[in-house]
Amino acid sequence: MSKKKPPVVDQRPYSRLVVDGAKQAPSRAMLRAVGFTEADFKKPQIGVASTWANLTPCNVHINALAEHAVSGANAAGGKGVLFNTITVSDGISMGSPGMRYSLVSREVIADSIETVVGAEGFDGIIAIGGCDKNMPGCAMAIARLNRPAVFVYGGTIRPGAERRDIVAVFEAVGGHAAGSVSDAQLLEIERTAIPGPGSCGGMYTANTMASAIEALGLSLPGSSAQEAVGQNKRIDSRLAGEAVVRLVKSGITPRQILTRKAFENAVTVTIALSGSTNAVLHLLAMAHEAGVRLSLDDFSRIGKRVPVLADLRPSGKYLMSELIEIGGIQPLMRRLLARGLLHGECLTVTGESIATNLSAVQDYPAAQEIIRNFDNPIKSKSHLVVLYGNLAPEGAVAKISGKEGISFTGRARVFNGEERATAAILAGKVKAGDVVVIRYEGPCGGPGMREMLSPTSAIMGLGLGNSVALITDGRFSGGSHGFVVGHIAPEAAVGGPLALLHNGDRITIDATKCTINVQLTAAELRARRKLWRAPKPYTNTGVLAKYARSVSSASLGAITK
C-alpha cells in the first residue's frame, strides 16, 4: 500500500504576488536596487523584524542578532530581508510622563510589523525583541498575520557589581530617602548596576514573556534562557532563520501552534517561574490576536494546581543569568511535563511537539537551589492571584509570593496619579497600615496603564514592604514586589469603584478568598457615584488620545479595538 503523499505547499504564497510576472517588473526593479539577484525572486522571502535602538540596553545589540537571522534564512534557501520597528525603554521612562507610551508601544510594534509584512508580501517572519513590550507586540503581530514565524528573544543582561540590576537602583532611591543610602552609595549603585546589553536580569517582565513565548512554542528551545552577549544567542538567531524556512516549506503557521492548550502551557510556566503580573495582560492580548479564548479565570484555574518553584528576583534570590548556568527553563518544563502539568502534544516551531523537544533535556544539577522540587515549593499555588470584589467587579491581579502574608486590611491613602503617590511616599507621609491607592492610571485614564515600579520600590527601600499595601488601576513592573494589586477593573477613569474611594476608607485584600473590598455599603457607593465627575483626558491629540479612545479594559488584556 503506497503512502499518502504530503500536500504540496506553496512556499511563496505572498511574495510571488509581489515579484512574479511581467506586471510586477516595477517591484523587481525596486528590489534589485536593494540587493536582490535574479535567483532571489524565486526564493521564499523572510522578513526579519528587528527592534534595535540605541536607547536602551535591552535592544542595543539586536541588529547584530537580526543579521545572524538573515544569514540563517539565506543559508536555508530563503531570502532574508531586514526591517526595523520601534522600542521604548520602560526602565528609562519609569516614573515619568513618558511611561504612558510604554503599553502603547506594544500596539505600535504589532501594527508596524503587520503593516510591513503585509505590504511587502513576506512568506515568513522572524521577530526579535528585547524590552518588555517588544515581545508581546511581536507575538501579537505573528498571531494576526498567521504566516510561518519564529520569535527570538534578545537575551538577558549579565549581573552588575555585587549582583545588582535595575531594581537595585530603584530601591536604592527609597533607601536614599530613608537615609540608609548615601549620595555616594547611590551614585556607585547607579554606575555599576547595568554592565551592558540585555534585558533586565531578574524574572521581571522581559524574562517572563520570553519564557512564556518559548512555552507557547513560538521560540526555539532554549531561546528564553540565554545571555544577550553570548555566542549561544547568535547561534539561536541563525537557527531561527533556518527554522522559518523549514516552516514555510512544511506549511506550519502560528495558529497551528497558538492553541488554547499552548496558552495553558505558557500560563503554567509563568507561574512556576514566579513571573510578572504583566504576563496576564500580555497573554490575554496575544490569545485574542490568535483567536483563542483565554480569561482571567483561566489564570486562577491553572494557578490552583501549579506551584511556584523558582527562587528568582524580585521576590527571590537569584538572577536569570544564574538560572541559565544550571540549564535555563527547559529542565523545569520537563519536570512540569512529567508531573502532568504541561500539554506535551502541543506543536512548536521546531516542527515537533513540546514533549519531543524535551525528551533529551537533562535535569538540573543536584546541588542547585534556584528551582525547588515539587515537595518543597516556594508557594504551593500560584503567586498570580486574580481578585474580585466591590473594588474590582471585573477583576484585579495581585502578585503574592507568600512572603508578604496572604491578607491585608488598612486605611486608604488616595492619590490621583503616580507622581503624587511617589512624592508622598518619599516624603514619609505614608505610614504602616496604609493602603496606597493610585488611580486614574488605567489603560484609558493614564492613558497607557503606567507601571508603578517607582512607588513600590520607594516603599521597599523605606522598609515598609511588609506593612504597606498598594493598589492601582495601573500595572506593575516585573521588578515590583510587596503587597501589591494592579489591573483593577473597571478603572477609575470610566467610573470604576476605585474612583469613589476617600482617604481613610477601610480596604481588605484577601489572597486566600481572592477578594478585594472596601468597607462601604452598596448604597454608600451609589451615593458617591452620583457625585463623581470624570476627569479631563490627559490629552486630546496624538497617539495617546487615539489609544485612550480605542483601548479596552485591563481584564481583557488592554487590547485596542
Side-chain angles (χ1 to χ4, degrees):
M1 186 175 177
S2 62
K3 292 184 178 179
K4 186 178 179 180
K5 291 183 179 180
V8 176
V9 175
D10 183 353
Q11 295 182 22
R12 299 192 301 122
Y14 303 100
S15 63
R16 63 178 172 76
L17 301 177
V18 177
V19 299
D20 284 6
K23 179 175 71 70
Q24 296 306 122
S27 305
R28 294 192 297 275
M30 301 259 320
L31 289 169
R32 290 178 195 278
V34 296
F36 271 61
T37 66
E38 200 68 44
D40 289 335
F41 295 122
K42 300 300 181 184
K43 299 174 183 177
Q45 290 188 29
I46 308 299
V48 180
S50 168
T51 57
W52 172 85
N54 196 30
L55 55 79
T56 172
C58 309
N59 297 67
V60 69
H61 62 299
I62 282 180
N63 253 19
L65 299 181
E67 294 287 0
H68 285 285
V70 169
S71 296
N74 292 345
K79 172 58 178 176
V81 182
L82 177 60
F83 68 95
N84 263 82
T85 181
I86 68 158
T87 188
V88 299
S89 174
D90 292 2
I92 294 171
S93 63
M94 194 75 69
S96 79
M99 189 64 193
R100 289 183 169 87
Y101 291 90
S102 171
L103 190 58
V104 177
S105 78
R106 185 188 75 178
E107 311 306 308
V108 176
I109 291 166
D111 290 350
S112 64
I113 294 175
E114 178 194 354
T115 300
V116 174
V117 172
E120 299 300 313
F122 295 135
D123 302 299
I125 315 160
I126 302 164
I128 308 178
C131 203
D132 295 7
K133 309 311 165 297
N134 299 169
M135 284 166 275
C138 289
M140 288 162 68
I142 286 169
R144 286 181 198 171
L145 289 157
N146 198 33
R147 304 182 189 191
V150 174
F151 175 77
V152 177
Y153 177 40
T156 194
I157 198 169
R158 289 178 174 169
E162 299 185 27
R163 299 176 64 248
R164 292 176 180 138
D165 61 12
I166 186 61
V167 175
V169 187
F170 278 97
E171 293 188 359
V173 173
H176 184 264
S180 59
V181 175
S182 69
D183 290 347
Q185 288 172 321
L186 180 60
L187 181 59
E188 195 264 337
I189 292 169
E190 173 193 327
R191 285 174 169 171
T192 60
I194 311 295
S199 297
C200 299
M203 190 47 66
Y204 311 144
T205 303
N207 283 316
T208 297
M209 291 313 302
S211 301
I213 291 172
E214 181 175 332
L216 275 171
L218 272 187
S219 294
L220 293 176
S223 182
S224 70
Q226 295 167 339
E227 290 185 334
V229 296
Q231 176 67 11
N232 287 341
K233 182 48 64 185
R234 294 189 286 273
I235 294 171
D236 178 48
S237 301
R238 183 178 178 86
L239 292 177
E242 297 174 4
V244 172
V245 177
R246 288 197 299 273
L247 292 172
V248 170
K249 292 178 179 179
S250 63
I252 295 174
T253 57
R255 292 198 182 190
Q256 295 171 253
I257 295 169
L258 297 175
T259 63
R260 179 170 169 82
K261 287 184 176 180
F263 277 96
E264 290 182 347
N265 285 346
V267 173
T268 295
V269 169
T270 296
I271 291 169
L273 288 169
S274 190
S276 165
T277 54
N278 277 319
V280 178
L281 198 73
H282 297 324
L283 287 171
L284 290 173
M286 290 156 58
H288 170 79
E289 299 292 357
V292 170
R293 181 173 54 84
L294 190 72
S295 71
L296 285 177
D297 293 338
D298 289 312
F299 287 83
S300 296
R301 174 179 56 83
I302 295 168
K304 289 177 181 177
R305 60 188 179 89
V306 178
V308 177
L309 299 174
D311 192 9
L312 294 168
R313 293 183 186 177
S315 56
K317 299 177 185 176
Y318 297 99
L319 290 160
M320 189 66 183
S321 59
E322 292 165 319
L323 178 60
I324 291 169
E325 289 177 3
I326 65 166
I329 74 164
Q330 289 276 296
L332 172 63
M333 289 179 65
R334 182 165 182 173
R335 288 184 179 187
L336 293 166
L337 178 66
R339 194 80 170 187
L341 296 174
L342 288 183
H343 302 290
E345 70 274 23
C346 288
L347 183 65
T348 75
V349 292
T350 66
E352 303 289 348
S353 68
I354 286 278
T356 300
N357 290 346
L358 295 174
S359 61
V361 171
Q362 300 296 309
D363 198 14
Y364 294 116
Q368 65 86 26
E369 298 180 344
I370 302 173
I371 302 295
R372 300 274 191 93
N373 294 320
F374 286 99
D375 58 1
N376 181 35
I378 303 288
K379 195 169 182 281
S380 62
K381 296 180 181 179
S382 178
H383 64 301
L384 298 175
V385 181
V386 178
L387 309 173
Y388 292 96
N390 67 0
L391 273 181
E394 293 180 7
V397 180
K399 186 176 183 180
I400 307 294
S401 71
K403 297 178 181 179
E404 314 86 355
I406 57 173
S407 65
F408 193 101
T409 297
R411 57 192 174 271
R413 290 280 286 115
V414 182
F415 301 95
N416 293 343
E418 178 190 2
E419 286 85 356
R420 294 177 182 180
T422 302
I425 293 165
L426 292 173
K429 295 179 181 179
V430 169
K431 307 295 183 184
D434 285 345
V435 178
V436 176
V437 178
I438 305 179
R439 63 190 180 191
Y440 300 114
E441 290 287 6
C444 174
M449 206 178 178
R450 288 192 291 178
E451 292 179 349
M452 301 293 128
L453 183 57
S454 291
T456 59
S457 295
I459 287 169
M460 299 304 294
L462 287 163
L464 295 171
N466 293 322
S467 58
V468 168
L470 189 150
I471 69 174
T472 180
D473 51 6
R475 59 196 173 91
F476 296 109
S477 162
S480 290
H481 57 124
F483 211 109
V484 297
V485 181
H487 306 204
I488 290 178
E491 62 176 287
V494 299
L498 210 64
L500 311 178
L501 292 179
H502 296 168
N503 284 329
D505 287 342
R506 300 289 292 177
I507 294 171
T508 297
I509 307 159
D510 192 317
T512 302
K513 296 179 181 178
C514 298
T515 56
I516 178 168
N517 289 297
V518 58
Q519 294 175 18
L520 296 172
T521 66
E524 288 172 313
L525 287 170
R526 284 196 299 270
R528 289 187 184 185
R529 183 167 282 107
K530 289 179 180 178
L531 299 174
W532 177 78
R533 296 292 180 270
K536 292 181 179 180
Y538 179 76
T539 180
N540 290 310
T541 61
V543 69
L544 292 179
K546 185 187 302 183
Y547 182 83
R549 287 193 295 268
S550 63
V551 72
S552 71
S553 170
S555 63
L556 300 175
I559 56 174
T560 51
K561 298 177 289 184

